[in-house]
Amino acid sequence: MAGYIVEDTRKVTTVRLAEMKRQGKRIAMLTSYDYSMAQIVDQAGVDVILIGDSAGNVMAGNQTTIPVTLDEMIYHGRCVARAVKRALVVCDMPFGTYHASRQAAVENAVRLMQGSGVDALKLEGGVEIIEMIRGIISAGIPVMGHLGLTPQSVNKFGGYGLRASNQKEAEKLISDAHALQEAGCFALVLEKIPAWLTTQVCQELEIPVIGIGGGPADGQVLVVHDMLGMNKGFSPKFLRRYADLFTVITDAVGNYVSDVKSGDFPNEKEQY
Ligand code: KIV
């Protein structure tokens, strides 16, 4: 069972993640959106499970994460939280639920925490949302930041290209990263930025930095459907595929269809 972490079965907490950074132990994070997948991902030794609003893409088939609602995240969060024993469970606050005011952000964060049973929340953005982040943390909710490519702002940036590739944007990202740490975020996701910038932020921050498409960091995150090869149409340079479930599932379903049609299934042993 190569790759399985079995020696430390204690529940992962935000405090443990900080310790892991200090000890130079890398953090493995993956998304999940449902009970069955979350159970497998947790048992395979992933440290942090994210109920990403990428649920809107991979589960619902939307082009962007913008249509995802708080009720949908509560549903996915509850399915995952019920399955997980070891990993820290983090849930995305969806588009439009934390910008209107500090009070609205805290109310929505409390609803998401109580309705789902997750351990922590993730919010996209820097200084623009710092007051909302402070409010949520002061309500006792751990917050993970997210900078670089922030998919909820796709219409503002006009696409999903590399972020912070010029000096001005890189300086803004560094100062946002410090602001998030000072506001009390326990970790930070950096998405699709140059590797040198990820390295610099990892060195400057005490909190763990989790990369996706940003080169080496204190940890890495991928969308589970992408790394399992369930989705043929999405092949960015940063994605490593660990399985070809598209082919595995297509073959299995194709065999089932032909067995049903030929009358081979069910056979004598498969009936009462
Ligand atoms: O929604 C998501 O899955 C994410 C990860 C890609 C970091 O935010």
Side-chain angles (χ1 to χ4, degrees):
M1 301 226 289
Y4 281 43
I5 299 172
V6 285
E7 76 271 15
D8 192 347
T9 54
R10 285 175 302 157
K11 171 82 183 162
V12 179
T13 62
T14 57
V15 175
R16 269 261 322 280
L17 293 183
E19 260 169 40
M20 286 172 80
K21 168 142 183 168
R22 283 195 298 277
Q23 295 167 352
K25 292 184 182 159
R26 292 224 168 86
I27 298 162
M29 172 164 154
L30 274 182
T31 66
S32 293
Y33 317 96
D34 67 87
Y35 180 86
S36 305
M37 183 69 84
Q39 211 171 30
I40 299 170
V41 168
D42 187 44
Q43 285 173 16
V46 159
D47 303 303
V48 183
I49 296 183
L50 172 69
I51 303 111
D53 60 358
S54 50
N57 307 108
V58 296
M59 300 298 290
N62 294 309
Q63 291 299 310
T64 73
T65 57
I66 291 168
V68 178
T69 66
L70 194 61
D71 285 333
E72 287 166 353
M73 292 310 289
I74 290 172
Y75 170 76
H76 288 296
R78 200 165 47 222
C79 297
V80 170
R82 221 178 261 142
V84 174
K85 295 202 162 49
R86 177 182 174 274
L88 182 81
V89 181
V90 181
C91 188
D92 267 337
M93 285 195 78
F95 177 79
T97 60
Y98 53 95
H99 286 88
S101 66
R102 177 172 163 140
Q103 190 185 335
V106 175
E107 283 170 6
N108 286 329
V110 168
R111 237 190 99 205
L112 184 49
M113 289 295 287
Q114 287 187 322
S116 65
V118 301
D119 302 315
L121 302 179
K122 177 165 80 58
L123 278 71
E124 296 182 6
V127 286
E128 326 74 59
I129 57 160
I130 216 74
E131 265 316 297
M132 288 65 161
I133 289 180
R134 285 206 187 98
I136 294 169
I137 293 173
S138 61
I141 300 170
V143 172
M144 176 180 270
H146 183 158
L147 296 171
L149 172 57
T150 47
Q152 290 174 14
S153 308
V154 60
N155 292 325
K156 182 168 150 194
F157 294 106
Y160 293 104
L162 185 71
R163 294 287 147 78
S165 54
N166 64 50
Q167 198 186 338
K168 192 168 161 225
E169 281 180 33
E171 280 168 11
K172 156 105 172 93
L173 187 140
I174 292 167
S175 91
D176 279 343
H178 281 279
L180 291 173
Q181 173 170 276
E182 272 147 35
C185 287
F186 71 88
L188 172 63
V189 167
L190 291 181
E191 181 165 356
K192 212 162 178 194
I193 62 169
W196 71 264
L197 185 52
T198 303
T199 305
Q200 186 171 332
V201 176
C202 286
Q203 283 166 356
E204 290 188 14
L205 293 197
E206 282 170 25
I207 59 172
V209 174
I210 315 290
I212 171 163
D218 303 313
Q220 296 292 323
V221 57
L222 286 174
V223 168
V224 73
H225 290 63
D226 299 339
M227 59 82 75
L228 291 178
M230 293 177 79
N231 168 1
K232 283 236 185 252
F234 184 65
S235 312
K237 179 178 172 181
F238 69 79
L239 175 63
R240 188 180 294 183
R241 286 213 172 90
Y242 287 84
D244 180 5
L245 287 199
F246 186 94
T247 304
V248 171
I249 295 172
T250 306
D251 288 349
V253 173
N255 288 337
Y256 166 74
V257 170
S258 43
D259 287 353
V260 169
K261 293 198 183 277
S262 69
D264 182 71
F265 176 76
N267 64 25
E268 276 177 17
K269 289 187 197 143
E270 291 161 336
Q271 54 187 278
Y272 299 98

